[in-house]
Amino acid sequence: LREHEASLRAQSLGLNAPIFQRANERTVIGLNRTYKPETRTGIPRQWDEFVPQISAIPGSQGGDCFGVCWNNTGNCHFDYLTGVEVHQVDLIPTGMTWMSIPAGRYAVFAHSSHVSAIPGTIDTLWSKWGPDCGLKIAGSPFFERYTSEFNPATGMGGIEIWVPLAD
């Protein structure tokens, strides 16, 4: 019932209805940068720097890429890791880092707008949907998932935003 109400709340805010699902732990390797609200416009440049380096990451799994928001502080500073999933961390390319995204239950939102609209979607999720959705948001990282359906030339398709939920 709470998930249904959370879906209705999302739709009333102009978001797509989330799909609720459990996910296994993921290990992601990539480039990490620290941002604050005034500097988060630098995230697209981080992607531009990361994408040509994907082939240098040993053991990458599948064609999905991840943008992981983690290490959040109370003053809206956060780390953002552009990366790919690996099954084990053997060799980390110079200048890259790794992190584990914990297993858990997530609200998964399809982002059907242009990739440049993600900051607005995330702001709506955290400032309007999260506080009033009737579900408890977990303190673990949330992430964007770019599937093989994402078209970097158009900035459209195959984008999901995964919000961690407390059990």
mmCIF file of all heavy atoms in Angstrom, residues 83-110:
data_model
loop_
_atom_site.group_PDB
_atom_site.id
_atom_site.type_symbol
_atom_site.label_atom_id
_atom_site.label_comp_id
_atom_site.label_asym_id
_atom_site.label_seq_id
_atom_site.Cartn_x
_atom_site.Cartn_y
_atom_site.Cartn_z
ATOM 1 N N GLY A 83 31.168 5.447 -13.456
ATOM 2 C CA GLY A 83 31.847 4.167 -13.500
ATOM 3 C C GLY A 83 31.090 3.074 -14.207
ATOM 4 O O GLY A 83 29.990 3.282 -14.734
ATOM 5 N N VAL A 84 31.726 1.905 -14.191
ATOM 6 C CA VAL A 84 31.138 0.681 -14.713
ATOM 7 C C VAL A 84 31.223 -0.392 -13.634
ATOM 8 O O VAL A 84 32.088 -0.347 -12.755
ATOM 9 C CB VAL A 84 31.841 0.194 -16.008
ATOM 10 C CG1 VAL A 84 31.609 1.168 -17.148
ATOM 11 C CG2 VAL A 84 33.316 -0.041 -15.784
ATOM 12 N N GLU A 85 30.325 -1.349 -13.729
ATOM 13 C CA GLU A 85 30.299 -2.432 -12.755
ATOM 14 C C GLU A 85 31.368 -3.474 -13.081
ATOM 15 O O GLU A 85 31.598 -3.805 -14.244
ATOM 16 C CB GLU A 85 28.919 -3.097 -12.757
ATOM 17 C CG GLU A 85 28.765 -4.168 -11.703
ATOM 18 C CD GLU A 85 27.365 -4.741 -11.627
ATOM 19 O OE1 GLU A 85 26.520 -4.416 -12.489
ATOM 20 O OE2 GLU A 85 27.121 -5.506 -10.690
ATOM 21 N N VAL A 86 32.029 -3.962 -12.032
ATOM 22 C CA VAL A 86 32.995 -5.051 -12.144
ATOM 23 C C VAL A 86 32.620 -6.097 -11.099
ATOM 24 O O VAL A 86 31.954 -5.795 -10.117
ATOM 25 C CB VAL A 86 34.452 -4.573 -11.927
ATOM 26 C CG1 VAL A 86 34.867 -3.577 -13.005
ATOM 27 C CG2 VAL A 86 34.646 -3.970 -10.555
ATOM 28 N N HIS A 87 33.041 -7.346 -11.329
ATOM 29 C CA HIS A 87 32.732 -8.380 -10.342
ATOM 30 C C HIS A 87 33.801 -8.530 -9.286
ATOM 31 O O HIS A 87 33.555 -9.106 -8.230
ATOM 32 C CB HIS A 87 32.439 -9.711 -11.034
ATOM 33 C CG HIS A 87 31.059 -9.741 -11.616
ATOM 34 N ND1 HIS A 87 29.922 -9.801 -10.857
ATOM 35 C CD2 HIS A 87 30.630 -9.663 -12.889
ATOM 36 C CE1 HIS A 87 28.851 -9.774 -11.626
ATOM 37 N NE2 HIS A 87 29.257 -9.689 -12.872
ATOM 38 N N GLN A 88 34.986 -8.030 -9.552
ATOM 39 C CA GLN A 88 36.014 -8.011 -8.523
ATOM 40 C C GLN A 88 36.980 -6.880 -8.820
ATOM 41 O O GLN A 88 37.105 -6.434 -9.947
ATOM 42 C CB GLN A 88 36.740 -9.348 -8.429
ATOM 43 C CG GLN A 88 37.454 -9.769 -9.701
ATOM 44 C CD GLN A 88 38.008 -11.176 -9.580
ATOM 45 O OE1 GLN A 88 37.254 -12.119 -9.421
ATOM 46 N NE2 GLN A 88 39.318 -11.292 -9.614
ATOM 47 N N VAL A 89 37.638 -6.442 -7.756
ATOM 48 C CA VAL A 89 38.570 -5.333 -7.883
ATOM 49 C C VAL A 89 39.981 -5.914 -7.818
ATOM 50 O O VAL A 89 40.478 -6.225 -6.756
ATOM 51 C CB VAL A 89 38.349 -4.296 -6.760
ATOM 52 C CG1 VAL A 89 39.319 -3.143 -6.898
ATOM 53 C CG2 VAL A 89 36.923 -3.798 -6.764
ATOM 54 N N ASP A 90 40.583 -6.088 -8.980
ATOM 55 C CA ASP A 90 41.958 -6.582 -9.038
ATOM 56 C C ASP A 90 42.917 -5.446 -9.321
ATOM 57 O O ASP A 90 43.820 -5.169 -8.550
ATOM 58 C CB ASP A 90 42.105 -7.656 -10.125
ATOM 59 C CG ASP A 90 41.396 -8.952 -9.767
ATOM 60 O OD1 ASP A 90 41.300 -9.263 -8.566
ATOM 61 O OD2 ASP A 90 40.936 -9.644 -10.686
ATOM 62 N N LEU A 91 42.698 -4.798 -10.429
ATOM 63 C CA LEU A 91 43.544 -3.680 -10.841
ATOM 64 C C LEU A 91 42.675 -2.455 -11.040
ATOM 65 O O LEU A 91 41.703 -2.502 -11.787
ATOM 66 C CB LEU A 91 44.259 -4.016 -12.151
ATOM 67 C CG LEU A 91 45.211 -5.202 -12.115
ATOM 68 C CD1 LEU A 91 45.681 -5.547 -13.532
ATOM 69 C CD2 LEU A 91 46.404 -4.909 -11.225
ATOM 70 N N ILE A 92 43.051 -1.401 -10.373
ATOM 71 C CA ILE A 92 42.316 -0.152 -10.525
ATOM 72 C C ILE A 92 43.188 0.780 -11.357
ATOM 73 O O ILE A 92 44.316 1.081 -10.961
ATOM 74 C CB ILE A 92 42.003 0.491 -9.161
ATOM 75 C CG1 ILE A 92 41.182 -0.480 -8.305
ATOM 76 C CG2 ILE A 92 41.266 1.812 -9.342
ATOM 77 C CD1 ILE A 92 40.975 -0.012 -6.886
ATOM 78 N N PRO A 93 42.715 1.205 -12.520
ATOM 79 C CA PRO A 93 43.510 2.122 -13.339
ATOM 80 C C PRO A 93 43.890 3.387 -12.567
ATOM 81 O O PRO A 93 43.136 3.865 -11.713
ATOM 82 C CB PRO A 93 42.593 2.451 -14.519
ATOM 83 C CG PRO A 93 41.658 1.285 -14.599
ATOM 84 C CD PRO A 93 41.447 0.851 -13.173
ATOM 85 N N THR A 94 45.037 3.930 -12.872
ATOM 86 C CA THR A 94 45.523 5.154 -12.234
ATOM 87 C C THR A 94 44.488 6.265 -12.360
ATOM 88 O O THR A 94 43.921 6.472 -13.430
ATOM 89 C CB THR A 94 46.848 5.599 -12.889
ATOM 90 O OG1 THR A 94 47.779 4.530 -12.784
ATOM 91 C CG2 THR A 94 47.404 6.839 -12.214
ATOM 92 N N GLY A 95 44.242 6.932 -11.250
ATOM 93 C CA GLY A 95 43.303 8.047 -11.234
ATOM 94 C C GLY A 95 41.861 7.639 -10.990
ATOM 95 O O GLY A 95 40.984 8.487 -10.925
ATOM 96 N N MET A 96 41.616 6.331 -10.868
ATOM 97 C CA MET A 96 40.245 5.859 -10.646
ATOM 98 C C MET A 96 40.117 5.308 -9.228
ATOM 99 O O MET A 96 41.103 5.064 -8.548
ATOM 100 C CB MET A 96 39.872 4.791 -11.669
ATOM 101 C CG MET A 96 39.766 5.339 -13.061
ATOM 102 S SD MET A 96 38.927 4.183 -14.158
ATOM 103 C CE MET A 96 39.144 5.019 -15.701
ATOM 104 N N THR A 97 38.890 5.130 -8.818
ATOM 105 C CA THR A 97 38.588 4.575 -7.509
ATOM 106 C C THR A 97 37.465 3.568 -7.651
ATOM 107 O O THR A 97 36.861 3.445 -8.719
ATOM 108 C CB THR A 97 38.211 5.690 -6.507
ATOM 109 O OG1 THR A 97 38.166 5.149 -5.197
ATOM 110 C CG2 THR A 97 36.866 6.314 -6.841
ATOM 111 N N TRP A 98 37.189 2.838 -6.595
ATOM 112 C CA TRP A 98 36.092 1.871 -6.622
ATOM 113 C C TRP A 98 35.245 2.058 -5.379
ATOM 114 O O TRP A 98 35.684 2.620 -4.382
ATOM 115 C CB TRP A 98 36.589 0.438 -6.731
ATOM 116 C CG TRP A 98 37.264 -0.068 -5.482
ATOM 117 C CD1 TRP A 98 38.565 0.120 -5.122
ATOM 118 C CD2 TRP A 98 36.665 -0.825 -4.437
ATOM 119 N NE1 TRP A 98 38.817 -0.470 -3.918
ATOM 120 C CE2 TRP A 98 37.661 -1.061 -3.472
ATOM 121 C CE3 TRP A 98 35.383 -1.318 -4.221
ATOM 122 C CZ2 TRP A 98 37.408 -1.776 -2.306
ATOM 123 C CZ3 TRP A 98 35.136 -2.040 -3.061
ATOM 124 C CH2 TRP A 98 36.146 -2.261 -2.127
ATOM 125 N N MET A 99 34.039 1.576 -5.471
ATOM 126 C CA MET A 99 33.124 1.588 -4.333
ATOM 127 C C MET A 99 32.108 0.469 -4.491
ATOM 128 O O MET A 99 31.883 -0.021 -5.599
ATOM 129 C CB MET A 99 32.410 2.925 -4.217
ATOM 130 C CG MET A 99 31.445 3.205 -5.345
ATOM 131 S SD MET A 99 30.317 4.558 -5.030
ATOM 132 C CE MET A 99 29.556 4.071 -3.519
ATOM 133 N N SER A 100 31.515 0.077 -3.390
ATOM 134 C CA SER A 100 30.433 -0.914 -3.408
ATOM 135 C C SER A 100 29.116 -0.209 -3.143
ATOM 136 O O SER A 100 29.015 0.595 -2.222
ATOM 137 C CB SER A 100 30.651 -1.991 -2.349
ATOM 138 O OG SER A 100 31.731 -2.801 -2.699
ATOM 139 N N ILE A 101 28.152 -0.522 -3.970
ATOM 140 C CA ILE A 101 26.788 -0.059 -3.744
ATOM 141 C C ILE A 101 26.082 -1.220 -3.045
ATOM 142 O O ILE A 101 26.038 -2.329 -3.571
ATOM 143 C CB ILE A 101 26.072 0.270 -5.067
ATOM 144 C CG1 ILE A 101 26.826 1.356 -5.832
ATOM 145 C CG2 ILE A 101 24.634 0.693 -4.797
ATOM 146 C CD1 ILE A 101 26.304 1.594 -7.243
ATOM 147 N N PRO A 102 25.574 -1.013 -1.832
ATOM 148 C CA PRO A 102 25.021 -2.134 -1.080
ATOM 149 C C PRO A 102 23.775 -2.744 -1.720
ATOM 150 O O PRO A 102 23.023 -2.069 -2.423
ATOM 151 C CB PRO A 102 24.678 -1.532 0.276
ATOM 152 C CG PRO A 102 24.838 -0.075 0.167
ATOM 153 C CD PRO A 102 25.503 0.251 -1.119
ATOM 154 N N ALA A 103 23.602 -4.031 -1.442
ATOM 155 C CA ALA A 103 22.363 -4.706 -1.828
ATOM 156 C C ALA A 103 21.217 -4.058 -1.065
ATOM 157 O O ALA A 103 21.408 -3.501 0.014
ATOM 158 C CB ALA A 103 22.453 -6.192 -1.494
ATOM 159 N N GLY A 104 20.049 -4.118 -1.630
ATOM 160 C CA GLY A 104 18.905 -3.560 -0.923
ATOM 161 C C GLY A 104 17.710 -3.364 -1.825
ATOM 162 O O GLY A 104 17.695 -3.795 -2.980
ATOM 163 N N ARG A 105 16.731 -2.703 -1.271
ATOM 164 C CA ARG A 105 15.497 -2.405 -1.985
ATOM 165 C C ARG A 105 15.590 -0.977 -2.507
ATOM 166 O O ARG A 105 16.048 -0.080 -1.811
ATOM 167 C CB ARG A 105 14.316 -2.566 -1.034
ATOM 168 C CG ARG A 105 12.963 -2.596 -1.706
ATOM 169 C CD ARG A 105 11.894 -3.097 -0.742
ATOM 170 N NE ARG A 105 11.650 -2.181 0.343
ATOM 171 C CZ ARG A 105 10.688 -1.263 0.366
ATOM 172 N NH1 ARG A 105 9.851 -1.169 -0.643
ATOM 173 N NH2 ARG A 105 10.545 -0.464 1.394
ATOM 174 N N TYR A 106 15.141 -0.799 -3.741
ATOM 175 C CA TYR A 106 15.248 0.495 -4.408
ATOM 176 C C TYR A 106 13.927 0.875 -5.063
ATOM 177 O O TYR A 106 13.172 0.010 -5.515
ATOM 178 C CB TYR A 106 16.319 0.450 -5.506
ATOM 179 C CG TYR A 106 17.727 0.370 -4.979
ATOM 180 C CD1 TYR A 106 18.287 -0.850 -4.619
ATOM 181 C CD2 TYR A 106 18.496 1.521 -4.837
ATOM 182 C CE1 TYR A 106 19.583 -0.917 -4.125
ATOM 183 C CE2 TYR A 106 19.787 1.458 -4.350
ATOM 184 C CZ TYR A 106 20.326 0.236 -3.999
ATOM 185 O OH TYR A 106 21.605 0.172 -3.513
ATOM 186 N N ALA A 107 13.694 2.183 -5.139
ATOM 187 C CA ALA A 107 12.660 2.739 -6.001
ATOM 188 C C ALA A 107 13.393 3.162 -7.268
ATOM 189 O O ALA A 107 14.305 3.986 -7.211
ATOM 190 C CB ALA A 107 11.977 3.937 -5.341
ATOM 191 N N VAL A 108 13.016 2.568 -8.395
ATOM 192 C CA VAL A 108 13.720 2.807 -9.651
ATOM 193 C C VAL A 108 12.821 3.667 -10.543
ATOM 194 O O VAL A 108 11.733 3.245 -10.932
ATOM 195 C CB VAL A 108 14.078 1.485 -10.359
ATOM 196 C CG1 VAL A 108 14.841 1.756 -11.642
ATOM 197 C CG2 VAL A 108 14.863 0.566 -9.419
ATOM 198 N N PHE A 109 13.320 4.860 -10.854
ATOM 199 C CA PHE A 109 12.574 5.818 -11.665
ATOM 200 C C PHE A 109 13.167 5.880 -13.061
ATOM 201 O O PHE A 109 14.359 6.171 -13.222
ATOM 202 C CB PHE A 109 12.647 7.222 -11.056
ATOM 203 C CG PHE A 109 11.938 7.366 -9.751
ATOM 204 C CD1 PHE A 109 12.577 7.023 -8.563
ATOM 205 C CD2 PHE A 109 10.638 7.831 -9.702
ATOM 206 C CE1 PHE A 109 11.920 7.155 -7.346
ATOM 207 C CE2 PHE A 109 9.973 7.970 -8.493
ATOM 208 C CZ PHE A 109 10.618 7.621 -7.305
ATOM 209 N N ALA A 110 12.365 5.619 -14.081
ATOM 210 C CA ALA A 110 12.798 5.848 -15.456
ATOM 211 C C ALA A 110 12.841 7.357 -15.666
ATOM 212 O O ALA A 110 11.921 8.081 -15.269
ATOM 213 C CB ALA A 110 11.836 5.200 -16.437
#
